[in-house]
Amino acid sequence: MTKSEIVKEISARTGIDSKAVLAVVEGFMTEVKTSLGKEENVYLRGFGSFIVKKRAQNISKNTTMIIPAHNIPVFKPSEEFLTMVKMGKQ
């Protein structure tokens, strides 16, 4: 599902204008990225967590390449989310 499809679906289900829905969806994504950029995790009860994981420096085997320490964004789904996906429920 694309962002455009998400916006259309939310607009259809709620009756809210698609431009307003798009602004909210984009605002949400911006806030998540901004928070993670500041190394602040985002917790959404019943959905999941967007967290920052720290990767230590790693020296690649068989080469002289050194991969510096860095942060990566990770999504950790809630138990409710996992159950819905496993059961194929909407």
Side-chain angles (χ1 to χ4, degrees), residues 43-72:
Y43 303 101
L44 303 171
R45 190 176 305 254
F47 185 74
S49 302
F50 295 92
I51 59 174
V52 177
K53 286 205 170 187
K54 299 178 190 308
R55 295 283 186 218
Q57 178 175 306
N58 188 1
I59 300 174
S60 183
K61 296 178 181 176
N62 300 327
T63 67
T64 57
M65 178 185 267
I66 296 175
I67 301 169
H70 59 281
N71 294 335
I72 60 166

Side-chain angles (χ1 to χ4, degrees), residues 46-48 75-90:
F47 185 74
F75 177 71
K76 181 179 178 189
S78 70
E79 288 297 320
E80 181 180 331
F81 186 107
L82 288 172
T83 300
M84 283 182 66
V85 172
K86 287 178 185 176
M87 303 298 270
K89 295 181 181 176
Q90 298 179 13

